[in-house]
Amino acid sequence: MTGLLFVILIVTHAVAGSRFSAANEKRVRRLIRDWAPLVWLAPGERFLPLGVTEFLDNVQSDQYYLRTRIDAATQVPQFEKTREEDEYRKVHFHVTYWMFYPFSEGKTICVLDLGFFGSWPIPTIGGVCIGTLKEYGSHIGDWEHMSLYFKDNEYPLAMYVSAHDAGAFYQYDPQNGTFVYESQETRKGLFQKPIFPEKVYTADGSHPILFSARGSHGLWTAPGKHKFVRVPRLYDESGFGTAWPTWKRLELLLEEDNEPLPGWMTFKGKWGNPSSNCHPLAKLGFNICEFVDGPTGIPMKQFNFRC
């Protein structure tokens, strides 16, 4: 795959209450690469992953937002790193694979123009919109992630996959080499309850196969059409577009490491522009805007697993 791809990993660990030894750290790095996901970008995807530093070159910061200097770029360059091996030692940790995109495309919904009262979402009739189609929910900056939890073995104990404001937990089955659905959660919103498939397969015996939805980049555990919001009905579409072998280019950030974390890890504002072109209901707390706030960054996120 051409273009600049970038994955950030944050590791939280516990080894008898102490830091990783040098040997264990090498093993952790190897496991992280061996089990990094194979992400299929959707057919027709225009908004590709991007390195954080390249994104920061094109924005300016205030206290709360990273605002674009010019229109969001959709072209990206490419990274690569080498692999390390080491002997087996018992250790447990979890790792979060963060994937960054400079732009997230909103959803097109059917609306009826009511003049002063704005445009209101309405259902389609037999798949036909009797009003007009309008796009809502686009935003600059897009953080997506999945997490793995390791405990003493050469394979993960569990996996968490995030899709918008929901996510699913999977247990790894070493007998069959698949991840098996266990449960799901909704982190925000009353109407989000997507359906996650029972099994997630692996590539080359270890890399979980995930699917990035076209435009929105929500991570799914199967290709196809996914309904993630019931009212209004919002769908993601994913499939076998372009393969992204994330393990070929990783940047590893270890918590409590001797090396300082990059400066952008201290930014607690929004990774994008503030909301604009909002529906009148936005004044009542409904986040219905053509462009919504950019997302918060890694420091403001909660871990999916805790040692």
Side-chain angles (χ1 to χ4, degrees):
M1 177 179 181
T2 59
L4 178 59
L5 303 180
F6 190 72
V7 178
I8 297 170
L9 305 98
I10 306 295
V11 178
T12 296
H13 58 273
V15 187
S18 63
R19 298 167 61 90
F20 284 137
S21 66
N24 278 336
E25 184 173 325
K26 287 185 178 181
R27 178 172 174 252
V28 165
R29 291 176 181 271
R30 174 175 58 80
L31 288 172
I32 287 170
R33 290 191 179 93
D34 286 350
W35 290 88
L38 171 65
V39 177
W40 280 95
L41 301 177
E45 178 61 76
R46 296 184 297 149
F47 306 106
L48 302 178
L50 184 68
V52 169
T53 54
E54 286 72 22
F55 176 77
L56 294 177
D57 288 340
N58 291 282
V59 297
Q60 53 193 4
S61 175
D62 60 28
Q63 186 179 358
Y64 302 106
Y65 294 94
L66 296 178
R67 303 170 184 263
T68 53
R69 299 178 190 275
I70 56 175
D71 291 340
T74 58
Q75 301 284 330
V76 292
Q78 181 173 7
F79 294 121
E80 259 182 77
K81 286 194 189 286
T82 58
R83 172 176 173 155
E84 300 175 26
E85 301 291 342
D86 192 33
E87 69 274 16
Y88 174 85
R89 293 197 177 213
K90 287 191 174 182
V91 64
H92 65 279
F93 68 94
H94 78 254
V95 56
T96 301
Y97 295 78
W98 290 101
M99 307 165 202
F100 182 75
Y101 301 78
F103 184 76
S104 179
E105 188 176 24
K107 298 298 181 184
T108 300
I109 60 177
C110 183
V111 297
L112 185 64
D113 188 359
L114 297 179
F116 173 79
F117 297 100
S119 299
W120 288 74
I122 58 173
T124 58
I125 300 176
V128 177
C129 176
I130 62 172
T132 58
L133 294 174
K134 197 167 185 178
E135 189 174 276
Y136 287 95
S138 295
H139 56 85
I140 301 296
D142 189 12
W143 286 103
E144 305 293 341
H145 76 282
M146 58 86 70
S147 299
L148 294 175
Y149 178 62
F150 291 85
K151 186 177 181 181
D152 299 340
N153 294 309
E154 290 294 289
Y155 53 82
L157 182 68
M159 175 176 69
Y160 179 86
V161 180
S162 173
H164 303 294
D165 291 318
F169 292 92
Y170 286 80
Q171 293 288 320
Y172 183 66
D173 178 6
Q175 298 279 335
N176 298 306
T178 60
F179 291 86
V180 181
Y181 175 85
E182 183 182 50
S183 63
Q184 70 183 76
E185 67 171 2
T186 299
R187 299 190 299 274
K188 186 174 68 174
L190 298 175
F191 301 106
Q192 292 212 42
K193 193 172 182 182
I195 296 174
F196 294 92
E198 288 296 318
K199 292 184 179 180
V200 177
Y201 296 93
T202 59
D204 299 328
S206 63
H207 303 290
I209 301 173
L210 303 178
F211 297 84
S212 174
R214 186 176 69 240
S216 72
H217 312 125
L219 280 178
W220 297 96
T221 50
K225 191 173 182 178
H226 314 276
K227 181 171 69 174
F228 64 95
V229 174
R230 295 179 177 179
V231 182
R233 294 177 181 173
L234 298 183
Y235 295 88
D236 267 352
E237 294 186 9
S238 62
F240 295 95
T242 303
W244 177 12
T246 63
W247 59 93
K248 290 190 175 182
R249 184 54 75 182
L250 302 178
E251 178 173 340
L252 179 61
L253 302 178
L254 280 172
E255 284 193 327
E256 300 178 5
D257 199 4
N258 291 327
E259 296 296 324
L261 293 175
W264 54 263
M265 280 289 291
T266 64
F267 181 68
K268 297 183 178 180
K270 302 293 185 69
W271 282 68
N273 298 346
S275 299
S276 61
N277 299 337
C278 295
H279 190 279
L281 284 177
K283 295 180 180 179
L284 301 178
F286 295 92
N287 193 19
I288 306 175
C289 303
E290 290 184 37
F291 285 87
V292 298
D293 282 2
T296 53
I298 294 174
M300 304 301 291
K301 309 295 187 185
Q302 292 185 346
F303 287 114
N304 305 118
F305 299 106
R306 296 189 181 277
C307 293

